[in-house]
């Protein structure tokens, strides 16, 4: 951990018969993140009503910390799911499991307050619902427990066919490995997209969202491959989209001929080199258009386009409307927000 790293407390609630992959996947994301960057340190702790926790695969985990009386400000609470039928059968009597579940529900209802993020993985959403923490929120869960979640949280909007859902300080994911996707998205917010991409590549997964989710950031597009040289080139372009990125310069960086580089980009990224560069530049330009009052010609210059006309033409290809339309939309929303307040 770096001397100046911001600490983010993470409490993993180990319920009876916990699905081990619901724990290992998301927390492996945070473990690796702690190793590859030093801006944020994810301080992970495992908590439960008793020192032992049975798991879905028949292992019994020990050393659980008690459920804390109060959570620190800014903490994140992760609630993994559970298995109805663990490998080798139940590890504890049903009455003990039921008692511990009730203790977790009671603790959640008391411990979760504004400023605390609640992250449910798979069927863990059902425990959160039983604690009354999903009422009025958008949420999701494993497809097999969608109906149970809807019954447990009657005023929640339970969404099907979603990898994960974020609604304010409530985060929920679909089945099992979707917890990795959710944690990568949280990591991107806390430590940046480049860290999330590096961790995703280590886990041999890729950053994704379901088709009905908001459009993915252009900085995350074309990354669902495992070619290390192309990832290195993409990292360099994403770090400075406005630089003079000629195909010849990138080919030299990749140690490939221009022709081979073009083939590799098309095969692994699904885009030409020029298209990829333009996407990075438009992503950066959008941040300027919607988040600053810079003139359009200045934005074109800062994002590496050869002229304002070139910038407008490429922008139109991606957005179907001129840059000023996005700026006017932002200003209108700001006025509406001020009127509401």
């Amino acid at each position: 951990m770096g001397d100046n790293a911001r600490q983010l407390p993470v409490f993993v609630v180990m319920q009876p018969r916990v699905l081990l992959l619901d724990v290992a996947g998301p927390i492996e994301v945070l473990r690796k993140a702690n190793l590859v960057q030093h801006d944020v340190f994810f301080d992970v702790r495992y908590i439960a009503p008793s020192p032992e926790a049975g798991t879905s695969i028949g292992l019994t985990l020990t050393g659980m910390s008690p459920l804390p009386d109060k959570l620190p400000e800014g903490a994140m609470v992760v609630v993994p799911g559970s298995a109805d039928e663990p490998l080798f059968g139940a590890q504890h009597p049903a009455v003990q499991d039921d008692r511990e579940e009730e203790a977790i529900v009671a603790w959640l209802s008391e411990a979760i307050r504004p400023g605390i993020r609640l992250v449910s993985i798979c069927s863990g959403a059902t425990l959160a619902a039983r604690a009354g923490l999903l009422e009025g929120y958008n949420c999701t869960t494993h497809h097999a427990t969608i109906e149970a979640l809807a019954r447990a949280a009657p005023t929640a909007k339970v969404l099907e066919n979603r990898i994960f859902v974020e609604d304010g300080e409530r985060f929920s994911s679909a089945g099992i490995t979707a917890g990795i996707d959710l944690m990568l998205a949280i990591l991107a917010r806390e430590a940046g997209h480049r860290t999330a991409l590096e961790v995703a590549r280590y886990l041999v997964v890729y950053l994704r969202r379901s088709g009905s989710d908001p459009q993915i950031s252009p900085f995350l597009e074309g990354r669902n491959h495992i070619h290390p040289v192309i990832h290195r080139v993409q990292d360099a372009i994403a770090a400075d989209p406005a630089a003079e990125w000629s195909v010849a310069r990138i080919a030299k960086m990749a140690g490939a001929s221009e022709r081979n580089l073009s083939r590799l980009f098309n095969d692994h990224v699904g885009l030409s080199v020029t298209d990829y560069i333009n996407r990075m530049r438009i992503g950066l330009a959008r941040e300027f258009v919607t988040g600053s009052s810079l003139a359009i010609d200045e934005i074109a210059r800062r994002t590496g386009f050869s002229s304002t006309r070139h910038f407008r033409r490429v922008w139109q290809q991606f957005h179907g409307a001129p840059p000023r339309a996005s700026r006017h939309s932002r200003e209108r929303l700001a006025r509406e927000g001020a009127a509401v307040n």
Side-chain angles (χ1 to χ4, degrees), residues 11-27 45-62 64 78-92 96-98 100-101 104 119-125 127 176:
F11 294 85
V12 185
V13 183
M14 305 292 284
Q15 66 162 307
R17 309 177 311 281
V18 67
L19 271 163
L20 203 54
L21 192 55
D22 282 4
V23 178
I27 303 309
R45 312 166 202 185
Y46 301 97
I47 59 175
S50 66
E52 289 189 353
T55 71
S56 58
I57 62 171
L59 290 174
T60 297
L61 304 179
T62 61
M64 304 301 112
V78 179
V79 184
S82 65
D84 291 334
E85 299 181 6
L87 187 66
F88 312 132
Q91 292 146 292
H92 301 109
Q96 178 181 337
D97 285 355
D98 291 345
E100 291 189 5
E101 281 188 12
I104 290 171
V119 179
S120 63
I121 311 296
C122 193
S123 61
L127 280 187
I176 308 175

Side-chain angles (χ1 to χ4, degrees), residues 200-201 203-206 223-231 268:
R201 289 202 299 274
L203 295 172
V204 200
V205 298
Y206 59 91
R223 291 287 195 153
N224 58 336
H225 64 85
I226 56 173
H227 196 293
V229 173
I230 299 302
H231 274 303
H268 295 282

Side-chain angles (χ1 to χ4, degrees), residues 114 128 146 270 295 303 319:
I146 285 285
T303 52
H319 295 288

